[in-house]
């Protein structure tokens, strides 16, 4: 085994370690981003539901305070029992109901609605809540733009950069382990080369080990 062959073995094992580390780090980053996205989406849905619930209570009491939404990007509509939009935020004023689904048996339902009153390519989380009125149940629709898969650009950069650093660190560690493992073999090979060149009767020292 010459020096070039030893270098080739080290390079191949290091390359294999790097590829595996990159794959595992990428998988870890994807799983982490999916978990964060689900958590953020759940929190946003609860926030939208709370905003709609406040307006639903006002509708049941026969009074609606304006503005309907207190956060930027939030939209609300109040639909009466005949399906007419009787109140809405400024962005949806004069537009039809943002969704066609109605609350379930628990007086609430949610879904992702794309297009329609939100515009082409725009998707919003929509929560529908019932408001009980003497003439029949009204519906309060509340919406907010969906959270993108990367959640926030800085968060995606942080997770991606961390995954890259992890892959590089594992690759460097693998290279050091391989180099250390081959060091006794290199010592034997050097001694053997010296024996062949000078003293054919000498023995090659065996390093201690199990």
């Amino acid at each position: 085994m010459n020096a070039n062959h030893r270098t080739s073995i080290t390079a191949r094992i290091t390359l294999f370690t790097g590829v595996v580390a990159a794959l595992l780090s990428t998988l870890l980053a994807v799983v982490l981003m999916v978990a964060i996205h689900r958590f953020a989406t759940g929190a946003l849905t609860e926030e939208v539901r709370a905003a709609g619930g406040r307006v639903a209570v006002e509708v049941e009491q026969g009074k609606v305070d304006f503005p309907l939404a207190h956060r930027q990007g939030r939209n609300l509509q109040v639909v009466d029992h005949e399906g007419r939009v009787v109140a809405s935020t400024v962005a949806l004023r004069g537009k039809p109901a943002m969704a066609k689904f109605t609350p379930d048996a628990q007086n609430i339902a949610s879904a992702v609605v794309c297009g329609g009153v939100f515009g082409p390519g725009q998707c919003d989380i929509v929560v529908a809540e019932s408001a009980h009125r003497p003439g029949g149940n009204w519906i309060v629709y509340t919406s907010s733009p969906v959270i993108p898969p990367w959640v926030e650009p800085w968060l995606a950069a942080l997770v991606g950069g961390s995954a890259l650093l992890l892959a590089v660190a594992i690759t460097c560690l693998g290279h050091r382990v391989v180099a250390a493992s081959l060091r006794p073999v290199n010592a034997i090979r050097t001694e053997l080369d010296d024996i062949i060149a000078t003293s054919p009767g000498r023995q090659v020292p065996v390093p201690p080990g199990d």
Side-chain angles (χ1 to χ4, degrees):
M1 181 170 59
N2 54 32
N4 290 335
H5 187 58
R6 292 194 300 272
T7 302
S8 176
I9 292 176
T10 303
R12 281 183 290 178
I13 296 178
T14 302
L15 177 61
F16 175 78
T17 303
V19 171
V20 173
L23 291 176
L24 293 179
S25 298
T26 301
L27 178 61
L28 178 62
V30 170
V31 170
L32 181 59
M33 288 302 300
V34 168
I36 294 175
H37 181 266
R38 287 185 177 180
F39 176 80
T41 299
L44 176 61
T45 303
E46 288 299 322
E47 179 188 320
V48 171
R49 182 178 300 174
R54 173 184 56 81
V55 176
V57 171
E58 294 177 355
V59 171
E60 290 179 346
Q61 295 174 350
K63 60 181 181 69
V64 177
D65 295 330
F66 290 87
L68 296 177
H70 300 297
R71 283 179 176 267
Q72 186 177 4
R74 305 292 188 271
N75 283 300
L76 285 94
Q77 287 179 325
V78 179
V79 180
D80 66 13
H81 63 282
E82 294 181 352
R84 297 173 300 186
V85 179
V86 297
S88 68
T89 46
V90 177
L92 298 183
R93 190 164 295 168
K95 295 184 178 181
M98 65 175 72
K100 296 181 179 180
F101 67 91
T102 57
D104 55 20
Q106 297 180 347
N107 298 323
I108 192 168
S110 62
V112 174
V113 178
C114 297
V117 298
F118 304 117
Q122 175 68 36
C123 293
D124 276 43
I125 297 173
V126 178
V127 176
E129 300 181 66
S130 293
H132 303 291
R133 297 284 295 170
N137 288 343
W138 290 20
I139 301 175
V140 176
Y141 288 110
T142 315
S143 73
S144 178
V146 297
I147 298 176
W150 55 88
V151 184
E152 293 286 351
W154 65 266
L155 179 62
L158 176 63
V159 173
S162 299
L164 178 61
L165 290 177
L166 179 62
V168 171
I170 294 176
T171 303
C172 293
L173 178 61
H175 176 77
R176 293 187 62 180
V177 170
V178 172
S181 300
L182 291 179
R183 193 171 295 118
V185 178
N186 294 338
I188 293 174
R189 181 62 190 177
T190 301
E191 187 71 18
L192 183 60
D193 291 340
D194 184 63
I195 290 174
I196 293 174
T198 59
S199 307
R202 287 172 51 194
Q203 293 183 346
V204 178
V206 179
D210 294 333

